[in-house]
Amino acid sequence: QVQLVESGGGSVQTGGSLRLSCAASGNTYMYCMAWFRQAPGKEREAVASLDNDDTTIYADSVKGRFAISRDNAKNTLSLQMNSLQPEDTAIYYCAAVHGWCPRGAERYDFWGQGTQVTVSS
């Protein structure tokens, strides 16, 4: 069983930066780790994923601005978010699934409780 706890959300102005962290308990070896977000009235969408071979995939809307990384020694996943825009406002979730990264949020088995990110203009 894997438990995920996000931290690092907050409120920033347009152009600002935030770094989200996801602390994992349990063995996440050979797990795909990912960040999703959900804005009010919208569906949950994938933001970035980190596969077992360190392959990263980003949503087009965050490419060049966000960076996903993993610290295996600390069993944490991070998301560095730069040049934040108001459209980045959402609850951000950490997710995990054993094996290769799948398509679709419904295929992830473990989720954190989410952390709010608010970007004001």
Side-chain angles (χ1 to χ4, degrees):
Q1 190 75 4
V2 173
Q3 291 184 323
L4 305 172
V5 179
E6 302 96 335
S7 61
S11 297
V12 296
Q13 292 188 326
T14 298
S17 298
L18 283 173
R19 186 176 181 87
L20 305 183
S21 293
C22 172
S25 62
N27 187 0
T28 58
Y29 178 68
M30 293 301 292
Y31 272 69
C32 161
M33 304 291 291
W35 289 96
F36 287 78
R37 67 186 181 187
Q38 188 166 18
K42 294 188 177 181
E43 292 187 356
R44 191 169 296 190
E45 63 172 351
V47 175
S49 64
L50 180 57
D51 225 322
N52 294 305
D53 61 355
D54 292 333
T55 298
T56 57
I57 296 177
Y58 295 93
D60 288 342
S61 58
V62 306
K63 281 180 182 176
R65 300 189 298 122
F66 290 11
I68 189 172
S69 61
R70 184 172 183 170
D71 186 332
N72 289 321
K74 296 181 179 179
N75 213 13
T76 60
L77 181 74
S78 296
L79 184 68
Q80 178 66 43
M81 305 186 295
N82 300 323
S83 301
L84 283 162
Q85 303 297 315
E87 52 266 34
D88 295 317
T89 295
I91 298 175
Y92 284 70
Y93 298 90
C94 175
V97 61
H98 187 263
W100 298 102
C101 290
R103 287 188 179 273
E106 69 278 4
R107 295 181 182 269
Y108 284 77
D109 293 325
F110 304 102
W111 291 85
Q113 81 289 350
T115 185
Q116 177 72 48
V117 171
T118 302
V119 185
S120 57
S121 57

